[in-house]
Amino acid sequence: MGRWVITLDSSAIFALLNRADPDHRPVRVGLEDDRGPYLVPVGILAEVAFMVERRLGVQVLDGFLGDLESGGFSLDCGEQALPRIRELILRYEDLRLGFADATVVACAERHGGRVLTLDRRHFDVVAGEGKIEVLPERD
């Protein structure tokens, strides 16, 4: 994977899959304009699948899984990311970064540093370390 990889957070994936979401179009256009590759951390897959199946239905979930299967999105950052995930969870304990967001950060750090998220509360703080760039950029 090259330096132009975008690591997707759960919020961005959900908005992308939910046409009724107000952030659907900006996320879709942003990804179309960039061309990726797009990376989904393995550690957030269950969270994403749960949200999509519960709120958008099995057909949308199946479409997303099909995109993963066909390579439209890549899965990465399994056990090799665990040391960094643990470090981030402990370092940002007061922030309550949590496993899912720590997984996204650790994965992004390994693949060029770009994170697409609509939930910036944790990512903006961690971005202060200078290892990740949070997308979309703020105006």
Side-chain angles (χ1 to χ4, degrees):
M1 303 242 169
R3 83 177 196 57
W4 301 113
V5 172
I6 295 178
T7 302
L8 302 174
D9 176 46
S10 303
S11 62
I13 295 169
F14 188 79
L16 180 65
L17 298 175
N18 182 3
R19 291 187 179 130
D21 190 297
D23 291 308
H24 170 78
R25 188 174 190 292
V27 168
R28 190 190 81 232
V29 169
L31 292 178
E32 288 172 353
D33 287 349
D34 189 275
R35 297 282 191 222
Y38 315 118
L39 190 60
V40 176
V42 171
I44 69 164
L45 191 55
E47 176 182 68
V48 170
F50 176 79
M51 289 186 335
V52 170
E53 183 176 0
R54 186 159 207 199
R55 298 180 190 170
L56 303 176
V58 173
Q59 295 302 317
V60 176
L61 175 60
D62 184 60
F64 174 63
L65 295 174
D67 286 341
L68 286 168
E69 186 178 9
S70 70
F73 301 104
S74 298
L75 287 172
D76 198 8
C77 301
E79 69 276 356
Q80 74 279 12
L82 285 172
R84 180 62 174 151
I85 292 167
R86 292 177 64 207
E87 179 185 343
L88 287 163
I89 289 170
L90 292 173
R91 179 178 301 155
Y92 294 103
E93 181 179 2
D94 292 343
L95 183 62
R96 299 180 70 149
L97 182 65
F99 178 78
D101 289 347
T103 298
V104 172
V105 171
C107 195
E109 288 175 350
R110 294 171 54 90
H111 294 286
R114 298 188 320 151
V115 174
L116 180 61
T117 183
L118 302 171
D119 183 12
R120 299 180 70 108
R121 63 190 149 97
H122 295 135
F123 295 103
D124 283 344
V125 173
V126 177
E129 288 188 15
K131 295 181 181 178
I132 66 168
E133 173 189 0
V134 183
L135 305 172
E137 294 178 8
R138 289 189 172 176
D139 295 329

